[in-house]
């Protein structure tokens, strides 16, 4: 695994890139150009923050995020993989899988005509195989410009198929959650995690007046977060993602989360895209699964 010093040396010629190390040892890096600024953690290959010139921030990051190795960072776009929610085998394993808790390799940072491309990779290891007995190669590729596009790819290096579920667990900023509506899920069925996974049907847009934790299945793949107070519309477009999760912890749960300020629920919303539950994926031996998500203000 490359060290902080290795990365600093490797990218020392890039004036746009600055590596920094958190007190607990997490390696982060900032990409700052005349048109955009982004921050990543090598843990999780996670985009933590992004803002394009003339725009408000695209993502929300908890001011109390525990920037500690092995602890999920609450904000940006954590990747929940190779399972979403509790471990499918019921064992005492990390909720939402291990991808967001492990250091990924930063394999390239490239300036291209219409922006920058940042790529991370994660391979199986003794640690991952102890949690999930499969060999794989996973990659996250971010294309940063007026929009943020993230491509996720998993290759199954096993001689047998494996099943997986995942989500881009995206955290978005809201000026006031009470003035937010999520569009694009009208007509979809969803499991309400607050009602024991009761199956319900979405009519119209989603508005918020309390805790919300819904798993939409066979969703259309394109969603809009309309923020009346911020007068903003954030467009989420996906490729090959059949599920969507909408989550706001509201007051009581926020106050129980050590890595979230009590009132922070008013200024954030998760709309998560991926494939989970009945949309989970089986990757054949030697096969691959790829999906993508694009985020931008309209
Ligand atoms: O966003 C859906 C969800 O599964 C919620 O139930 C809540 O647990 C959230 O993820 C956050 O999970 P985390 O493990 O990041 O605290």
């Amino acid at each position: 695994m490359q060290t902080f010093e290795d990365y600093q040396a490797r990218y020392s010629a890039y004036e746009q890139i600055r590596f920094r190390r958190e007190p607990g040892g997490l390696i982060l890096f900032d990409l700052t150009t005349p048109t955009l600024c982004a921050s990543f953690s090598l843990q999780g290959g996670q985009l933590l923050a992004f803002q394009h010139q003339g725009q408000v921030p695209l993502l929300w990051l908890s001011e109390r995020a525990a920037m500690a190795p092995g602890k999920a960072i609450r904000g940006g776009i954590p990747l929940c993989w190779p399972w979403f929610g509790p471990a499918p085998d019921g064992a005492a394993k990390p909720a939402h899988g291990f991808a967001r808790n492990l250091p990924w390799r930063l394999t390239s940072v490239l300036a291209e005509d219409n922006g920058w491309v940042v790529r991370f990779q994660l391979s199986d290891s003794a640690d991952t195989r102890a949690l999930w007995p499969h060999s794989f190669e996973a990659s996250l590729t971010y294309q940063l410009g007026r929009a943020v596009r993230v491509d996720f790819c998993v290759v199954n290096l096993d001689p047998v198929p494996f099943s997986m579920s995942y989500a881009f667990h995206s955290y978005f900023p809201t000026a006031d959650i009470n003035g937010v509506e999520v569009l694009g899920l009208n007509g979809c069925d969803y499991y309400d995690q607050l009602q024991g996974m009761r199956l319900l049907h979405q009519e119209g847009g989603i508005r918020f007046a309390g805790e919300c934790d819904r798993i939409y299945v066979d969703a259309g793949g394109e969603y809009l977060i309309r923020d009346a107070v911020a007068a903003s519309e954030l467009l989420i477009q996906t490729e090959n993602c059949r599920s969507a999760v909408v989550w706001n912890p509201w007051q009581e749960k926020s106050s129980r989360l050590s890595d979230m300020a009590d009132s922070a629920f008013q200024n954030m919303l998760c709309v998560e895209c991926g494939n989970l539950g009945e949309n989970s994926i089986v990757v054949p031996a030697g096969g691959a699964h790829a999906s993508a998500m694009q985020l931008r203000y309209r």
Side-chain angles (χ1 to χ4, degrees):
M1 178 56 62
Q2 292 204 306
T3 66
F4 177 77
E5 289 75 15
D6 292 335
Y7 283 117
Q8 276 194 316
R10 180 172 169 197
Y11 292 98
S12 58
Y14 286 66
E15 63 182 5
Q16 302 90 342
I17 297 176
R18 182 173 67 92
F19 284 88
R20 51 195 167 96
R21 189 163 32 189
E22 288 291 310
L26 279 192
I27 299 176
L28 311 180
F29 78 91
D30 303 317
L31 174 63
T32 308
T33 79
T35 58
L36 64 87
C37 55
S39 295
F40 291 88
S41 72
L42 268 63
Q43 177 174 289
Q46 189 167 333
L47 179 59
L48 301 178
F50 178 83
Q51 186 166 3
H52 192 269
Q53 184 183 38
Q55 297 278 5
V56 294
L58 187 69
L59 300 170
W60 177 86
L61 178 64
S62 173
E63 61 193 28
R64 295 188 185 175
M67 305 302 270
K71 172 90 171 100
I73 301 171
R74 192 168 303 285
I77 310 176
L79 175 69
C80 301
W81 180 81
W83 59 80
F84 183 91
D89 62 6
K93 296 176 182 175
H96 290 330
F98 49 72
R100 63 181 183 168
N101 302 338
L102 291 176
W104 289 51
R105 302 187 308 279
L106 175 62
T107 54
S108 66
V109 181
L110 299 171
E112 300 201 337
D113 293 345
N114 55 354
W116 287 70
V117 181
V118 178
R119 182 176 168 82
F120 296 90
Q121 285 185 298
L122 179 72
S123 308
D124 61 281
S125 64
D127 289 347
T128 67
R129 288 190 296 273
L131 292 168
W132 193 59
H134 299 293
S135 298
F136 63 85
E137 185 70 39
S139 66
L140 283 168
T141 306
Y142 298 87
Q143 297 178 58
L144 306 174
R146 275 201 62 76
V148 168
R149 177 184 167 102
V150 51
D151 285 81
F152 175 50
C153 182
V154 178
V155 178
N156 177 354
L157 302 177
D158 267 355
V160 293
F162 59 54
S163 175
M164 64 182 200
S165 59
Y166 70 92
F168 303 113
H169 196 298
S170 309
Y171 286 81
F172 299 108
T174 64
D176 176 351
I177 188 65
N178 297 288
V180 171
E181 183 174 18
V182 175
L183 303 168
L185 287 159
N186 176 42
C188 289
D189 289 337
Y190 68 90
Y191 294 96
D192 189 334
Q193 297 215 75
L194 304 179
Q195 299 186 58
M197 294 298 277
R198 185 177 164 205
L199 186 60
L200 297 166
H201 191 72
Q202 182 64 41
E203 297 290 347
I206 308 167
R207 300 188 72 87
F208 303 89
E211 183 178 356
C212 176
D213 197 347
R214 303 179 181 181
I215 297 174
Y216 291 81
V217 292
D218 299 331
E222 182 166 320
Y223 317 106
L224 191 72
I225 303 175
R226 182 173 287 158
D227 186 326
V229 175
S232 66
E233 292 190 333
L234 197 158
L235 181 60
I236 303 169
Q237 297 167 299
T238 62
E239 295 168 19
N240 210 16
C241 292
R242 300 289 309 281
S243 311
V245 180
V246 179
W247 179 58
N248 186 287
W250 220 252
Q251 174 86 55
E252 195 273 328
K253 189 157 194 178
S254 295
S255 62
R256 283 194 281 116
L257 292 171
S258 61
D259 55 357
M260 195 165 168
D262 293 0
S263 61
F265 72 95
Q266 297 172 2
N267 303 113
M268 55 73 67
L269 175 66
C270 287
V271 177
E272 307 151 39
C273 305
N275 289 289
L276 54 121
E278 52 220 74
N279 296 138
S280 296
I281 299 290
V282 175
V283 185
H289 170 79
S291 64
M293 175 179 69
Q294 179 172 282
L295 308 171
R296 65 179 173 85
Y297 283 111
R298 256 198 339 191

